[in-house]
Amino acid sequence: MFLWPDHRHFRALARSLTPVSSERIEAALANMFPGYSPVLVSSGRTGLELALEHLQLGRSDLVGIFPFASLCVLEAVSRVATPLAGPSTLHAPHRLIFHQWGFVQEHHGTASIVIEDAVDSLCAPGCQLMPAGGNHEVWSLPKIIGSLSGGVIWCRHANDAAKIRLMREGRKQGTELQWLLRWMGTWSSTAHAYWSGVEASKGPLSRLGSGEVWNLIHTWNHLVADRREKLALLKPFIPSWLPEPDMRLPCVVPISIDPHQASHLTALGINSGFRHYERIHADGRRELVKMFPIPIHQDVSMEWLLKVRTILESF
């Protein structure tokens, strides 16, 4: 059991026969989150790269990132600007705010924000987007709805979205081949490596992946209801210093336990291990702590979570 839902490659292949236009999907998303403008793209990393390029950053521009940012984030930022991690991150001219696992610890007031990285946040319809005051928020649909591909750049201003769409449409070449590499990558490490090597530079979601995304966004309310139920089950174990989720729902519940206790949960199939989490104190101090994330996404059953809860209550 991992941090995010797994995609279903046979479902993705079946839905590839019923393509849906990007405009239609964007209209459905805009209806769910009124007041913001979505741009549908190939993936979350594509969204990060496009948003940075739209902001006209260059190699000499420093972008502060999470110290343990994933390789895909590092690559996407590096294609446009220069990533900066460590103690000097907060003083970078631009920052990539990371709402890790769906928890928001930074809010309005940070002037240097470039983009809000909310790749795995499941937002209930009507949720306030860009809670840290940025003009862009990026989602990864595989991490949220379990699709094979797809990402969303949310824009606060419609004219920004229009400009990014123009950039996106200039990157159509090889879109279908890229989707096929992604699909083949479910069992071929070579295909996945080829897909990963160029994905950040791509643009629109392939028409082969649009049907699956269209189908899955119509399950959004069900996903939200399911997530709320699972979150309630593990709510007592959420650290008191984390904000209580409301309209923005996490994909995991991070808990503080020792390695011996964690072994009991690993035996249930949790394979993510300990992960670094950035705790932001009330006075602004930041601390990297090791947390054990327990998945609560749609691939997790209530029966399994009840077993997890029983183990946690025994500690």
Side-chain angles (χ1 to χ4, degrees):
M1 200 70 64
F2 199 53
L3 302 175
W4 308 292
D6 197 10
H7 56 260
R8 308 287 189 265
H9 60 282
F10 286 119
R11 178 187 64 196
L13 186 63
R15 292 291 176 182
S16 69
L17 303 175
T18 55
V20 178
S21 70
S22 293
E23 292 79 11
R24 194 176 179 191
I25 295 173
E26 288 171 352
L29 289 168
N31 187 56
M32 293 165 58
F33 301 94
Y36 306 98
S37 298
V39 181
L40 183 68
V41 293
S42 179
S43 65
R45 69 181 75 182
T46 303
L48 287 176
E49 200 272 352
L50 276 169
L52 287 165
E53 187 171 327
H54 165 68
L55 292 163
Q56 299 183 331
L57 299 185
R59 180 65 61 203
S60 61
D61 292 301
L62 299 177
V63 177
I65 62 171
F66 175 58
F68 286 87
S70 65
L71 178 61
C72 62
V73 171
L74 284 167
E75 192 220 350
V77 174
S78 297
R79 282 181 176 270
V80 179
T82 298
L84 178 67
S88 57
T89 296
L90 294 178
H91 305 293
H94 313 285
R95 292 180 58 213
L96 186 64
I97 301 298
F98 187 28
H99 301 312
Q100 189 173 359
W101 298 334
F103 290 93
V104 177
Q105 295 191 83
E106 293 196 51
H107 296 273
H108 287 280
T110 306
S112 60
I113 289 173
V114 173
I115 301 166
E116 298 184 37
D117 181 349
V119 288
D120 49 13
S121 297
L122 175 61
C123 293
C127 175
Q128 176 196 0
L129 304 184
M130 291 157 265
N135 286 327
H136 306 285
E137 177 173 326
V138 175
W139 291 356
S140 171
L141 294 180
K143 290 180 172 66
I144 298 173
I145 60 177
S147 57
L148 178 69
S149 56
V152 182
I153 309 170
W154 284 99
C155 302
R156 191 178 297 277
H157 307 295
N159 60 331
D160 286 335
K163 292 176 182 177
I164 294 175
R165 288 191 192 102
L166 284 175
M167 294 168 53
R168 176 194 69 185
E169 293 308 299
R171 301 180 175 191
K172 283 186 173 181
Q173 187 174 4
T175 301
E176 275 64 51
L177 174 59
Q178 185 69 358
W179 185 89
L180 288 170
L181 286 171
R182 170 66 166 154
W183 187 78
M184 292 169 60
T186 57
W187 66 83
S188 168
S189 59
T190 301
H192 179 77
Y194 278 117
W195 172 84
S196 181
V198 299
E199 178 59 24
S201 65
K202 302 311 290 183
L205 173 66
S206 167
R207 60 189 298 275
L208 298 176
S210 60
E212 183 191 27
V213 168
W214 174 256
N215 178 258
L216 288 174
I217 63 173
H218 284 84
T219 68
W220 205 283
N221 287 332
H222 170 75
L223 294 178
V224 168
D226 176 75
R227 191 72 55 90
R228 288 192 189 280
E229 185 179 10
K230 292 169 180 173
L231 181 63
L233 192 66
L234 295 188
K235 186 177 178 181
F237 306 99
I238 297 177
S240 59
W241 48 266
L242 272 177
E244 184 174 325
D246 181 20
M247 295 289 281
R248 188 177 290 256
L249 305 170
C251 56
V252 304
V253 167
I255 61 172
S256 180
I257 55 176
D258 62 43
H260 173 71
Q261 293 171 325
S263 66
H264 295 280
L265 297 171
T266 303
L268 285 180
I270 300 178
N271 56 11
S272 56
F274 284 90
R275 295 293 175 107
H276 285 92
Y277 196 91
E278 188 171 40
R279 175 182 178 181
I280 302 178
H281 293 264
D283 61 3
R285 288 184 300 112
R286 292 167 185 260
E287 175 188 10
L288 284 172
V289 294
K290 281 192 174 182
M291 307 294 289
F292 193 86
I294 298 177
I296 59 170
H297 52 69
Q298 55 266 39
D299 282 357
V300 175
S301 70
M302 285 296 292
E303 292 76 15
W304 182 84
L305 273 182
L306 284 169
K307 293 179 182 178
V308 170
R309 179 178 172 126
T310 298
I311 291 175
L312 292 177
E313 289 174 335
S314 71
F315 293 158

